[in-house]
Amino acid sequence: DLEKKIPVTVHTQFRAASTSKAITVTGLAKMMQDETIDIEAEVQKYVPHYPLKEYPITLKQLAGNVSGMPHYLGNDNIENRFYSSTKDALTVFSHHKLLFKPQTKYSYSSAGFVLLSAAMEGASGISFLDYLQDKVFNPLGMKSTEPDMGKYKLMPNLTKYYEKKNGRYAVITNPREVSSIWAAGGFVTTPTDLVNMTKAYSNGYLTKNIVNKIFESQTLLSGEKTNVGIGWRIGLDMEERNIIEHAGVTEGTRSVISYFPDDDLAISVMTNTEWVSSIEETAHMLVLPFLKKAKNGTQLSGSYPIKAKLMQKGKENEVKGKLDFENSVGKITLENDIVYSIIHINENTYSLINNQGIYYLTMEI
């Protein structure tokens, strides 16, 4: 809180935005393990009141964003009010047609996750939020994770939300109401809680067989892999390590949870303002020193003239500059007073830091 000068602590709650989807599928994984739900089943098995579409949709397709369900559309029936149940939230988009035949394309869909949460509710026989509290939050030590109740509940640990206007940060006084999208983007949490959540995938809370199913890429009818499993995104970092992750962005937040299964290590980064940069790479850089032992590489030392190519207003321009380095810390100074801080990590690997994030940099003498 800039006005009251209240700093962030480990208890400060941030909006999770679409990182909420990772929370939802962790609950779904527990249901799969307990054989409470069949993700190959069609939606109407668990949500009989949901209108039939041009093609049948399975829960697995919803979780992998290959169902043909739309994302946010201009003709959503969204109202500025509190949505008290998943059935109520379905009214926002239940009138829409599918965008395409399921499993023929990948298309990100928050509506698909809201429908998925209704199916989880139908399968378990208890409310979606109660199920997550009992089967995810409590056993995994996620003490600061809960639905964002907005103006309907006092949340003393919730951060203020900011946006940048004319180079300054301004409080968002009327943030978006998210009760209609809890499963897709409506939770508040902390980085600690998100890291604790990933322990379910390695400590035996979820069986290895279930974890493999969750982290296996879905495949289109064409045979093409989507690199998205049951909700989680599957990828590699800049040094070819396996990563399972999900990120989110909405007004007043940018968030990510990245899990490195081969190292059994996780990192979460959350902010209370929108952030255009790739938060994923920043998270990967912050965790890099913990992923491998530092090796004795040749470290730069001294001052060097350099040339750099910058993309400016769609054009590539070559500029001159200077690199200064001492005791593993340095900076690049370019024309127009552009300055980047640099920190040596190991061997020829460095982090390049500016106000948009932390980036991967290699330099050799």
Side-chain angles (χ1 to χ4, degrees):
D1 187 324
L2 293 177
E3 182 183 1
K4 296 181 180 179
K5 301 188 184 304
I6 301 174
V8 167
T9 74
V10 293
H11 303 295
T12 303
Q13 293 171 308
F14 296 82
R15 277 187 159 181
S18 285
T19 307
S20 299
K21 294 179 175 69
I23 297 172
T24 296
V25 298
T26 301
L28 179 63
K30 179 63 171 147
M31 281 191 176
M32 292 166 58
Q33 180 169 284
D34 294 342
E35 298 184 348
T36 304
I37 203 167
D38 176 9
I39 62 168
E40 302 288 353
E42 295 178 17
V43 166
Q44 282 74 21
K45 177 177 180 179
Y46 303 111
V47 196
H49 55 83
Y50 190 73
L52 291 168
K53 301 300 175 180
E54 305 91 311
Y55 302 95
I57 307 169
T58 69
L59 307 190
K60 184 177 180 180
Q61 291 165 345
L62 290 174
N65 294 303
V66 295
S67 66
M69 290 282 291
H71 197 38
Y72 302 120
L73 296 179
N75 59 340
D76 284 350
N77 290 331
I78 187 70
E79 301 173 12
N80 186 22
R81 64 177 177 84
F82 183 75
Y83 286 81
S84 59
S85 66
T86 57
K87 186 175 182 179
D88 193 14
L90 295 181
T91 62
V92 173
F93 56 83
S94 59
H95 58 290
H96 291 317
K97 293 183 178 181
L98 297 181
L99 300 178
F100 49 82
K101 180 180 178 181
Q103 223 166 317
T104 59
K105 296 179 183 179
Y106 174 88
S107 183
Y108 190 75
S109 173
S110 286
F113 270 76
V114 176
L115 181 53
L116 180 63
S117 68
M120 292 170 64
E121 197 166 276
S124 65
I126 61 175
S127 79
F128 170 68
L129 295 179
D130 286 345
Y131 182 87
L132 288 186
Q133 186 68 53
D134 184 49
K135 300 297 185 180
V136 179
F137 304 158
N138 290 344
L140 298 179
M142 299 172 68
K143 298 178 181 179
S144 298
T145 304
E146 58 184 314
D148 185 351
M149 304 297 285
K151 60 186 177 183
Y152 302 100
K153 177 185 176 183
L154 180 64
M155 305 179 76
N157 290 324
L158 188 59
T159 183
K160 293 283 189 181
Y161 306 134
Y162 292 90
E163 59 183 342
K164 205 165 189 178
K165 288 185 176 180
N166 301 320
R168 301 184 62 134
Y169 289 103
V171 175
I172 299 173
T173 56
N174 188 28
R176 176 187 179 189
E177 213 287 318
V178 294
S179 60
S180 65
I181 55 165
W182 277 329
F187 287 106
V188 298
T189 188
T190 65
T192 299
D193 274 15
L194 290 176
V195 168
N196 282 341
M197 182 183 71
T198 66
K199 295 177 182 178
Y201 296 89
S202 63
N203 68 2
Y205 188 71
L206 297 173
T207 65
K208 187 174 182 180
N209 180 49
I210 291 297
V211 172
N212 290 341
K213 288 181 179 179
I214 298 295
F215 292 166
E216 181 182 10
S217 173
Q218 296 207 34
T219 305
L220 301 180
L221 295 178
S222 65
E224 178 185 356
K225 291 186 179 297
T226 64
N227 292 324
V228 174
I230 307 299
W232 290 95
R233 297 166 182 170
I234 304 161
L236 300 170
D237 76 350
M238 46 278 187
E239 295 186 351
E240 302 295 306
R241 295 181 191 82
N242 292 314
I243 301 179
I244 308 295
E245 63 188 348
H246 209 297
V249 61
T250 191
E251 60 173 6
T253 199
R254 188 80 167 95
S255 63
V256 68
I257 174 66
S258 303
Y259 176 57
F260 293 76
D262 298 333
D263 295 87
D264 190 23
L265 197 65
I267 182 169
S268 174
V269 178
M270 307 188 81
T271 75
N272 58 342
T273 184
E274 285 189 41
W275 188 15
V276 296
S277 175
S278 173
I279 197 170
E280 292 93 339
E281 182 167 350
T282 296
H284 302 167
M285 288 303 299
L286 286 170
V287 81
L288 189 58
F290 300 93
L291 290 172
K292 63 181 182 182
K293 294 180 180 179
K295 298 179 181 178
N296 293 324
T298 302
Q299 294 188 34
L300 294 174
S301 181
S303 184
Y304 306 84
I306 61 172
K307 292 180 180 179
K309 291 181 179 179
L310 298 179
M311 288 296 295
Q312 297 174 320
K313 296 181 179 180
K315 294 183 179 180
E316 187 178 86
N317 296 317
E318 185 174 277
V319 297
K320 295 181 180 180
K322 183 176 67 168
L323 168 64
D324 296 293
F325 221 94
E326 184 178 356
N327 297 327
S328 300
V329 178
K331 67 178 181 179
I332 292 175
T333 306
L334 302 178
E335 294 173 1
N336 304 321
D337 296 321
I338 300 173
V339 179
Y340 300 102
S341 297
I342 300 173
I343 297 176
H344 180 253
I345 297 177
N346 50 53
E347 295 186 291
N348 65 338
T349 302
Y350 300 78
S351 59
L352 184 149
I353 306 165
N354 69 8
N355 62 358
Q356 288 298 318
I358 305 175
Y359 299 93
Y360 185 75
L361 175 68
T362 58
M363 296 192 291
E364 295 182 1
I365 298 177

